[in-house]
Amino acid sequence: AYFAADQTIAEALAATLPDQEDPAVQILIIETLVSRQQESALGSIQQLLEKPLNEVVRLKAEEGLGKLM
C-alpha cells in the first residue's frame, strides 16, 4: 500500500491498533506493520493481545510479534 511508505503514517497506524475493534482493520494494520518490519509496533500489538480478540486476529497478532522480535 502506498501509505505504508510513510514512516509517520505507519507509526500512527501502530498507535491506533489497540483501539481498533473491526477484525478486518486489525488484521490489515498488523500485516502492514509486519511487512514494514515496524519494530516500534511491538508494544501496540502486545496491548492488542491483552484484549478479548477474534481468534484469527489473535493468531495474526501472535505471528506478527514473532516476526518482529
Side-chain angles (χ1 to χ4, degrees), residues 15-35:
T16 68
L17 181 59
D19 299 324
Q20 293 296 330
E21 295 189 11
D22 182 329
V25 173
Q26 292 167 331
I27 290 170
L28 179 63
I29 291 174
I30 292 167
E31 288 176 342
T32 300
L33 297 171
V34 170
S35 73

Side-chain angles (χ1 to χ4, degrees), residues 1-14 32-33 36 38:
Y2 294 117
F3 63 85
D6 186 331
Q7 181 69 21
T8 303
I9 293 175
E11 290 171 4
L13 283 174
T32 300
L33 297 171
R36 289 186 44 78
Q38 193 75 29

